[in-house]
Amino acid sequence: MNSKLGYADAIVGLQWGDEGKAKIVDLLSQNYDYTIRVQGGANAGHTVVHKEKKFIFHLIPSSVLNEKSVSIIGNGVVFDPKVFLEELDSLRNFDKNIDKRIVISDKATLVLPIHKKIDAIRDEILKIGTTKRGIGPAYESKVARVAIKLFDLVADDWLKKLKLLIQYYGYDPDGKEFNENKNFILKYKPYILPFIDDSERMVIKALSEGKKILCEGAQGAALDIDFGTYPYVTSSNTIVSSIFSGGGIPLRSLRNVFGLFKIYCTRVGNGPFPTEISDELANKIRDDGREYGSTTGRPRRIGWLDLPMLKYYARLTGTSHLILTKADIFSNFPEFKVCVAYQNNSTLDVIEEYPPASIHLHTPVYKVFKGFTSFDSVEFKHFISFIEEYLNLPVYMVSTGPEKDEYLILKPDIYQN
Ligand code: IMP
Ligand code: MG
């Protein structure tokens, strides 16, 4: 037996997504043989700046530009072939060997035009503010066992299944809807077949050979279907657990979890956001931080950093290493606020806990921090120590700007590869 087993590390957002995961994945992926997406779909928008060119990835892992690592789209992903091929086209212009480094799980679920249509119709009523990428309905089809999996395309065994799916959503199984979706599959199928493989076997084999895998989380822990502010959540588990069920990574192979958080919070779409602000300062943060959705272009809602929330999701995700991002956006602010507790609106009790299920019954309690002029300053160091003490976790890294080389490693000893 090989005594040198490989392992997996995970990168997870601890807020409502858009914590700047892509840059960190791109940066850290140098240390890994594989990078894998395990949940979500084209609702994600991961921005990477590479050789002064900006790339936005929706489905392909953000590590794909790294020539040393293989990028896997795992079985837990809901896969839109149109978005994938558009993304691939833009990458091929940049690197003609890119195809060889991408694998899609044969157990990933196909997202079809019908899913997007249902997503739009439902959101008119539900008002969740989804990305309209068909994510919720695609996961629903999967759980209802009427979805088309990529292995159905490989086996060319999907026509009957498509009829069933169309019927499931209340449309005529021989009508317009069927034809539209059938043509969609016929159009894209030939181009995606070469990428399809049983990726969980690759993963298991790689681990047995001592290889290293980086798992790229999409969305954020606070959008988790179970632990987020339901129903204002996405339709997958975003709290790292999907690496097991959506990637085929054995539980005991997980080593480090990098939990990312911005120096403020943002949220796109509807739902509770206790520390939200909507004044001039919010506009300044939105503009300075370029806080516009990379998938939908929507302006992101802005609010103060929420430490009870961060602590809750750091614990749930098993975060071992914190990474602070967008720290540069607050440099030269005279002061800024951080939520450090919640007050119960009726009992007036103050708790240092985040209560997602009854968050509407609570009001944030703030602490004001002095601004910092440099990342060397006493003020910045004080802020970092406060967070470390509050969460009882180390801040490993700070991202100080959008470029790849704009970051600081605060504790080099706690992560070696
Ligand atoms: P869905 O995932 O498209 O169903 O959208 C559900 C909620 O999650 C909405 O509030 C979306 O704005 C939000 N959401 C989905 N994906 C992302 C993401 O990658 N970043 C930030 N918010 C997201
Ligand atoms: Mg994003």
Side-chain angles (χ1 to χ4, degrees), residues 16-18 43-45 128-131 135 219 223 233-234 268-269 298:
W16 286 285
D18 307 309
N43 49 348
I128 289 166
T130 73
T131 59
I135 306 302
Q219 292 80 50
L223 286 171
V233 292
T234 192
V268 244
R298 290 178 289 180

Side-chain angles (χ1 to χ4, degrees), residues 310-349:
L310 197 60
K311 191 174 182 175
Y312 179 75
Y313 289 114
R315 283 179 186 158
L316 275 174
T317 54
T319 289
S320 56
H321 295 60
L322 290 166
I323 297 182
L324 168 64
T325 63
K326 297 260 175 126
D328 52 309
I329 304 302
F330 276 11
S331 64
N332 298 317
F333 270 33
E335 58 179 38
F336 59 95
K337 285 197 210 172
V338 172
C339 167
V340 293
Y342 275 93
Q343 182 165 43
N344 184 305
N345 295 344
S346 30
T347 64
L348 302 185
D349 288 344

Side-chain angles (χ1 to χ4, degrees), residues 217-384:
Q219 292 80 50
L223 286 171
D224 186 273
I225 182 87
D226 285 295
F227 298 107
T229 45
Y230 191 91
Y232 300 99
V233 292
T234 192
S235 296
S236 61
N237 281 113
T238 55
I239 57 147
V240 178
S241 60
S242 290
I243 74 165
F244 312 121
S245 57
I249 296 187
L251 225 115
R252 65 179 179 141
S253 299
L254 177 61
R255 193 186 60 159
N256 299 314
V257 177
F258 297 95
L260 271 67
F261 67 105
K262 283 195 282 214
I263 199 161
Y264 50 87
C265 283
T266 60
R267 179 164 198 168
V268 244
N270 300 322
F273 188 176
T275 64
E276 183 168 19
I277 49 173
S278 50
D279 51 11
E280 266 313 298
L281 191 58
N283 295 336
K284 179 176 161 45
I285 295 172
R286 184 178 302 108
D287 286 343
D288 290 357
R290 295 163 305 277
E291 298 294 356
Y292 295 87
S294 39
T295 298
T296 56
R298 290 178 289 180
R300 294 180 183 140
R301 297 158 67 192
I302 308 284
W304 298 115
L305 177 62
D306 186 333
L307 288 188
M309 168 185 167
L310 197 60
K311 191 174 182 175
Y312 179 75
Y313 289 114
R315 283 179 186 158
L316 275 174
T317 54
T319 289
S320 56
H321 295 60
L322 290 166
I323 297 182
L324 168 64
T325 63
K326 297 260 175 126
D328 52 309
I329 304 302
F330 276 11
S331 64
N332 298 317
F333 270 33
E335 58 179 38
F336 59 95
K337 285 197 210 172
V338 172
C339 167
V340 293
Y342 275 93
Q343 182 165 43
N344 184 305
N345 295 344
S346 30
T347 64
L348 302 185
D349 288 344
V350 173
I351 49 167
E352 274 196 11
E353 298 289 337
Y354 182 70
S358 61
I359 195 75
H360 56 292
L361 306 175
H362 293 80
T363 305
V365 178
Y366 291 103
K367 175 174 163 64
V368 177
F369 283 84
K370 269 207 210 122
F372 48 88
T373 46
S374 83
F375 300 112
D376 269 340
S377 62
V378 178
E379 290 79 15
F380 188 69
K381 286 181 182 155
H382 168 70
F383 171 63
I384 295 289

Side-chain angles (χ1 to χ4, degrees), residues 56-220:
I56 298 180
F57 300 115
H58 299 290
L59 274 170
I60 301 179
S62 317
S63 58
V64 71
L65 293 164
N66 167 8
E67 286 159 26
K68 283 193 307 191
S69 117
V70 173
S71 294
I72 302 175
I73 298 176
N75 58 285
V77 169
V78 286
F79 179 81
D80 183 332
K82 180 168 184 283
V83 174
F84 170 76
L85 290 167
E86 283 166 5
E87 215 162 286
L88 189 64
D89 259 356
S90 72
L91 287 165
R92 278 175 177 154
N93 293 333
F94 198 76
D95 177 349
K96 49 184 187 334
N97 292 321
I98 211 100
D99 287 30
K100 292 188 202 130
R101 305 200 301 270
I102 300 173
V103 177
I104 313 167
S105 165
D106 63 348
K107 293 165 198 71
T109 299
L110 194 60
V111 178
L112 290 168
I114 182 116
H115 294 122
K116 284 188 234 173
K117 182 168 178 167
I118 299 290
D119 197 357
I121 294 171
R122 294 243 178 94
D123 213 42
E124 282 294 310
I125 303 159
L126 299 176
K127 303 270 184 251
I128 289 166
T130 73
T131 59
K132 314 280 191 294
R133 294 295 185 109
I135 306 302
Y139 277 116
E140 170 194 298
S141 303
K142 169 179 160 175
V143 175
R145 295 166 291 187
V146 292
I148 295 177
K149 296 286 198 143
L150 297 194
F151 59 72
D152 294 320
L153 303 188
V154 176
D156 213 4
D157 177 28
W158 52 274
L159 262 178
K160 266 196 296 199
K161 295 184 178 180
L162 179 61
K163 279 192 198 246
L164 208 63
L165 178 71
I166 298 292
Q167 207 169 9
Y168 176 83
Y169 283 111
Y171 293 95
D172 174 3
D174 294 304
K176 173 173 157 280
E177 221 59 54
F178 171 70
N179 284 321
E180 242 177 66
N181 283 273
K182 182 179 90 178
N183 290 337
F184 179 89
I185 297 178
L186 288 173
K187 179 172 176 187
Y188 294 112
K189 189 184 105 163
Y191 302 103
I192 57 168
L193 285 180
F195 296 94
I196 303 176
D197 206 340
D198 46 357
S199 57
E200 72 279 14
R201 265 185 235 268
M202 277 175 78
V203 162
I204 304 287
K205 183 165 177 284
L207 290 168
S208 72
E209 289 169 350
K211 301 258 166 54
K212 302 170 199 169
I213 301 174
L214 183 62
C215 308
E216 174 183 34
Q219 292 80 50

